[in-house]
Amino acid sequence: KVLGISPVVMPRQVPSPPQTQDHIINASRKPFTALSFSPDGKHLVTGESGHMPCVRVWEVGGGQVAEVQAHKYGVACVAFSCSGSYVVSVGFQHDRTISVWDWRKGSIIATNKVSSRVFSVSVSQDSSYFVTAGNRHVKFWDLDGSKDRRVNSTVPLIGRSGLLGDHKNSVFCGVACGRGQAASNTYCVTAAGVLCLFNSSRQLEAFVNLKTAAASGLAVSEDWVFCGCADGVIRVFRPADLQYVGTLPRPHRLGVDLTRSAPHRSDPPPAGSEVAHPDTLALTFDPRGQRLSCVYTDHSVYVWDVADVKNAGRLHSALYHSSCVWNIQVYPELQDPSQARLPPSSFLTCSSDNTIRLWHSDAPIRQRNQYSQDLLKILYVGEDVQRLQAAGERAEADGPDGKAGIRVLGISPDGKHLAAGDRCGNLRIFDLESLTELLKIEAHDSEVLCLEFSPLSSGVKLLASASRDRLIHVFNQEKNYNLQQTLNDHSGGVQLVSCGADKSIYVQTAEQTPDGSLFSRRHHVVEKTMLYDMDLDPTGTRVSVACQDRNVRVYSVETGKLERSLKGSASDEGALLKVHSDPSGSFFATSCSDKNITIFEAETGECVATLFGHSELVSCMRFSQDCRHLISASGDSCVFVWRLDPQMSSTMRKRRAPGPSGPQQPSIRWVAFPEATAGGVGRFSCSVCVPGGRPSSLSPPPSCLWRRRRISGPLGDRSPLLVSLSRSTRTQETE
């Protein structure tokens, strides 16, 4: 969820930097909730949520330089004074604390309580006062009086309410103090779409109707007042008298193919068209660069050149998922690169926002989406495009059992087709060359949890899907994905390995008979701890299980015996939720309920890296086929691409070299894996195992490669949640 935006003010003599990303990572692992840059652009102040939240000041391009703990529940908004010496912070609704602190000395100089929920804060140009705005609340706080009291203890802030007149019952979602000749004015905008001007006497002097369904915020400069509104509209007014100047261009329309869309225009859509633009969520203005940066409700980011307001143009934009990202699939490496439908190292993600997105970090310019450097294509699934901008609010209202979005993806080994399963049980097949939908199958009665294609070397072209309806369907790819077999109780295929919430692991073998496949149990292992995930190593001889006690247990598929137990977490708290190995089996990555990702050396179990940055549980992890990156996705709607150490990448590539005996022949293995947590609330993991590469000549150590997703469900559900197609090195006894 996007909670705020602030400009970076660069000195005039410094040229504009290229479009790159820099990151500040909170070592406390608490989510950021507010931010603001200092007037000179050298420092950044942030607020956070969680237990005993802090207000922190960071050096841009450096580390943390100061912090103070003045709130109990969270920080709603922060702001630097124009002098850069003081920071104002406002707590969450139940905290209701306003604090002013000298961040260089680390001391709070003034504080007070506020009776209403506050959404925004702004400091005057001369730093003599600041203004807070919120639910039926506009209040002016004296900052000079607090600074003049030279005492060692904290003094109370003195505030006076604005005279709201007819707008006394309005919700004020944004506030900004005037600049330049209008420095004595204060501007507020209501959630209903009314822009208000308060004079130096705190009186409501003028207001104007923005003619919009809703407003979200505003930004003020010496020459303009920008108001963010619904449907991507940004109104522009003069600060002296609120005279209307114009409307900026709107962003892309929801559900439109961005690679073919026309240039930006501010005209309304054609008559009878219901296509909407994303609502403006937050905006901020850089007076030196004359740039307006905007974030929209579909989590897209735009930077507009507003040097000429009536002919504003787009300088930069980026498009991202707007809701929980469930799955990642990396495009496979083909033996004949000329047959590839997508650029090398491409990967796809799916989300609860009903989209599938194709990404690439180094795509050629001609292939790039004109609105995002890393995004090649967006596939909109279904007709509910409003889910794009309302996903966050809807997800919170519907809870984890909501039925929106694409749950899982699968890519055929020949790289031609993409399979996508949604949360209503539908299965869709897409052509990866044209990225068009070929087929839609109403496959299951409940959400699809896993999809897996059979490997090329198996000699058959099958697609297996598993669902919460406790069924596994097998489709024939060569017969237009006709249903070939339905498996009950997780049965079917050559070999079946299953893990359940009863802490049991079953290995069963199938014999082909004239009447079909007949399964017999080969191994039954009972553990003492809850089993959350499982994975098959690239050789197909070992299965790794992620356990509640934060250990990764490795079992032999042939004997069913425990071969080793490795530590799967760098911390001693939480539970181990996911495990995933690189294509060579040299390293494996795990994620825990503490939202961290840890990478271990598979042979020794030594921790080589700890990654953190996601604010929600990690829903999926994938190593790239070139062994240079780890890609992670989370319920926070973010997709992170982590750059691996060159030595790690070199080790992976060496171990992926084919052995002298050539590639080993795979068999088909279906794996079912439900899981549950204590306390009466079920948690289920969905994994898809795909061999990452050919067997290594260096005898790769036990490790695992898998695809995992997480949903909620009733305790005791035994739905088939993992479908695995893997290699096998076992010699058939019948031969």
Side-chain angles (χ1 to χ4, degrees):
K1 181 182 290 187
V2 179
L3 298 170
I5 185 172
S6 180
V8 180
V9 181
M10 302 298 295
R12 294 183 184 273
Q13 65 271 20
V14 178
S16 298
Q19 297 294 344
T20 59
Q21 288 188 7
D22 291 320
H23 304 87
I24 291 178
I25 299 178
N26 192 355
S28 70
R29 318 293 174 90
K30 296 176 182 176
F32 290 124
T33 56
L35 60 86
S36 178
F37 279 94
S38 61
D40 59 6
K42 295 181 179 179
H43 294 92
L44 174 72
V45 59
T46 61
E48 61 191 28
S49 63
H51 179 65
M52 305 299 287
C54 291
V55 178
R56 305 176 190 271
V57 176
W58 310 78
E59 210 169 43
V60 175
Q64 179 178 316
V65 295
E67 70 174 63
V68 67
Q69 200 284 312
H71 304 280
K72 293 183 179 180
Y73 305 105
V75 182
C77 43
V78 291
F80 270 103
S81 64
C82 289
S83 63
S85 301
Y86 301 97
V87 168
V88 179
S89 63
V90 183
F92 278 178
Q93 180 179 8
H94 299 292
D95 184 277
R96 298 182 178 181
T97 300
I98 299 179
S99 297
V100 180
W101 61 295
D102 186 332
W103 63 272
R104 288 187 173 90
K105 295 181 180 179
S107 60
I108 299 176
I109 63 173
T111 186
N112 209 331
K113 292 285 186 177
V114 62
S115 58
S116 302
R117 183 179 181 184
V118 175
F119 296 106
S120 182
V121 62
S122 180
V123 183
S124 65
Q125 183 172 320
D126 59 2
S127 299
S128 62
Y129 66 93
F130 66 92
V131 186
T132 55
N135 187 11
R136 296 185 292 181
H137 168 91
V138 175
K139 201 161 188 176
F140 295 73
W141 303 86
D142 184 13
L143 194 55
D144 270 344
S146 302
K147 293 186 294 182
D148 291 340
R149 300 184 183 185
R150 305 295 182 181
V151 295
N152 294 327
S153 60
T154 302
V155 299
L157 275 169
I158 300 175
R160 296 180 180 179
S161 298
L163 306 178
L164 306 181
D166 293 338
H167 299 281
K168 61 182 180 181
N169 293 321
S170 298
V171 176
F172 293 88
C173 56
V175 62
C177 294
R179 296 293 184 261
Q181 296 181 354
S184 60
N185 293 340
T186 301
Y187 305 88
C188 296
V189 64
T190 69
V194 177
L195 174 63
C196 302
L197 185 156
F198 293 86
N199 58 25
S200 57
S201 301
R202 300 178 287 107
Q203 292 180 335
L204 180 60
E205 185 173 295
F207 64 89
V208 59
N209 190 339
L210 299 176
K211 295 183 179 180
T212 180
S216 57
L218 77 166
V220 174
S221 70
E222 295 184 5
D223 302 315
W224 315 112
V225 177
F226 302 94
C227 298
C229 307
D231 202 30
V233 171
I234 299 176
R235 308 285 191 202
V236 186
F237 300 87
R238 295 194 182 277
D241 53 4
L242 298 188
Q243 180 183 353
Y244 175 69
V245 176
T247 299
L248 296 186
R250 290 190 285 186
H252 58 280
R253 292 175 181 169
L254 297 174
V256 174
D257 184 354
L258 301 180
T259 60
R260 302 178 183 176
S261 58
H264 286 296
R265 300 186 61 187
S266 57
D267 324 287
S273 174
E274 297 182 358
V275 177
H277 298 78
D279 298 338
T280 308
L281 179 63
L283 68 167
T284 189
F285 181 70
D286 175 11
R288 298 191 178 183
Q290 294 294 302
R291 298 176 178 181
L292 184 72
S293 300
C294 303
V295 176
Y296 298 90
T297 48
D298 67 344
H299 289 198
S300 59
V301 180
Y302 279 71
V303 179
W304 303 97
D305 182 358
V306 292
D308 182 358
V309 171
K310 295 185 178 180
N311 293 284
R314 176 178 58 88
L315 290 177
H316 173 72
S317 61
L319 309 177
Y320 305 107
H321 282 294
S322 62
S323 189
C324 172
V325 182
W326 286 105
N327 192 235
I328 304 170
Q329 285 294 328
V330 178
Y331 192 72
E333 288 185 346
L334 304 181
Q335 292 183 353
D336 184 2
S338 63
Q339 299 297 318
R341 266 54 174 180
L342 299 178
S345 300
S346 300
F347 65 94
L348 297 106
T349 59
C350 63
S351 169
S352 292
D353 61 11
N354 275 351
T355 66
I356 301 171
R357 306 195 183 213
L358 173 61
W359 307 87
H360 195 283
S361 57
D362 300 314
I365 298 298
R366 63 180 180 86
Q367 291 181 313
R368 283 189 174 166
N369 185 288
Q370 62 174 318
Y371 290 97
S372 188
Q373 294 182 355
D374 302 324
L375 183 62
L376 297 181
K377 179 75 174 180
I378 300 180
L379 299 178
Y380 298 92
V381 182
E383 300 178 356
D384 184 14
V385 295
Q386 291 298 328
R387 175 67 61 175
L388 288 166
Q389 62 174 339
E393 289 77 7
R394 281 186 173 182
E396 291 176 1
D398 296 344
D401 294 324
K403 293 299 182 182
I406 307 301
R407 185 65 173 80
V408 65
L409 300 175
I411 300 177
S412 61
D414 57 9
K416 295 181 179 180
H417 290 167
L418 169 70
D422 64 24
R423 305 196 71 185
C424 295
N426 299 314
L427 175 63
R428 291 176 171 86
I429 305 298
F430 296 88
D431 177 70
L432 280 177
E433 185 170 13
S434 61
L435 293 176
T436 56
E437 184 175 322
L438 301 177
L439 188 65
K440 177 182 177 181
I441 305 172
E442 295 181 359
H444 296 277
D445 295 331
S446 188
E447 62 182 329
V448 181
L449 301 177
C450 301
L451 292 172
E452 181 64 17
F453 284 89
S454 58
L456 289 174
S457 51
S458 65
V460 294
K461 293 186 176 181
L462 302 177
L463 170 64
S465 67
S467 168
R468 183 172 291 282
D469 62 8
R470 308 182 184 184
L471 297 177
I472 296 176
H473 293 322
V474 181
F475 301 91
N476 193 323
Q477 184 180 350
E478 296 179 311
K479 296 182 180 180
N480 198 30
Y481 291 93
N482 288 337
L483 180 63
Q484 178 165 310
Q485 188 178 5
T486 297
L487 311 175
N488 292 317
D489 299 327
H490 315 153
S491 61
V494 176
Q495 191 168 16
L496 182 145
V497 182
S498 62
C499 292
D502 57 0
K503 307 176 183 178
S504 296
I505 302 174
Y506 291 92
V507 180
Q508 302 183 64
T509 303
E511 297 290 342
Q512 294 295 331
T513 66
D515 297 330
S517 299
L518 178 63
F519 279 85
S520 59
R521 183 186 303 175
R522 296 182 62 218
H523 306 294
H524 177 204
V525 180
V526 179
E527 277 294 343
K528 297 180 180 180
T529 183
M530 191 71 69
L531 312 177
Y532 280 92
D533 279 305
M534 64 185 302
D535 182 23
L536 212 59
D537 76 338
T539 65
T541 60
R542 301 177 180 90
V543 60
S544 300
V545 181
C547 304
Q548 187 181 26
D549 60 2
R550 297 179 297 280
N551 288 325
V552 176
R553 290 174 170 82
V554 183
Y555 294 88
S556 169
V557 174
E558 301 306 317
T559 64
K561 294 182 179 180
L562 177 66
E563 292 191 350
R564 55 163 50 179
S565 180
L566 303 173
K567 184 178 180 180
S569 173
S571 67
D572 295 328
E573 298 180 356
L576 188 64
L577 300 180
K578 289 180 278 293
V579 59
H580 171 65
S581 79
D582 73 272
S584 69
S586 304
F587 302 92
F588 65 89
T590 65
S591 69
C592 291
S593 54
D594 60 5
K595 307 169 189 175
N596 293 346
I597 299 174
T598 309
I599 301 178
F600 295 89
E601 207 281 324
E603 187 172 1
T604 63
E606 179 183 359
C607 176
V608 297
T610 299
L611 317 174
F612 61 92
H614 286 293
S615 62
E616 299 293 340
L617 295 180
V618 176
S619 57
C620 188
M621 298 177 297
R622 294 289 187 273
F623 283 95
S624 62
Q625 293 289 348
D626 59 9
C627 302
R628 295 191 300 119
H629 299 105
L630 174 67
I631 308 167
S632 63
S634 169
D636 58 14
S637 80
C638 293
V639 178
F640 289 167
V641 178
W642 308 85
R643 185 183 297 108
L644 299 177
D645 182 81
Q647 186 175 357
M648 293 177 60
S649 300
S650 177
T651 301
M652 296 179 196
R653 285 192 288 266
K654 289 179 180 178
R655 293 208 174 195
R656 289 191 68 184
S661 59
Q664 302 179 17
Q665 296 298 319
S667 63
I668 300 177
R669 184 173 286 109
W670 284 301
V671 184
F673 181 76
E675 70 173 18
T677 59
V681 179
R683 292 290 181 184
F684 295 82
S685 296
C686 171
S687 305
V688 178
C689 301
V690 181
R694 290 171 291 183
S696 169
S697 60
L698 301 177
S699 300
S703 59
C704 39
L705 177 64
W706 60 284
R707 310 292 185 257
R708 177 190 182 280
R709 315 296 170 261
R710 181 182 61 84
I711 60 172
S712 295
L715 190 67
D717 192 341
R718 295 298 180 267
S719 308
L721 298 179
L722 182 139
V723 179
S724 171
L725 303 179
S726 67
R727 300 180 184 275
S728 175
T729 59
R730 183 173 65 90
T731 303
Q732 297 292 336
E733 296 178 358
T734 56
E735 298 177 355

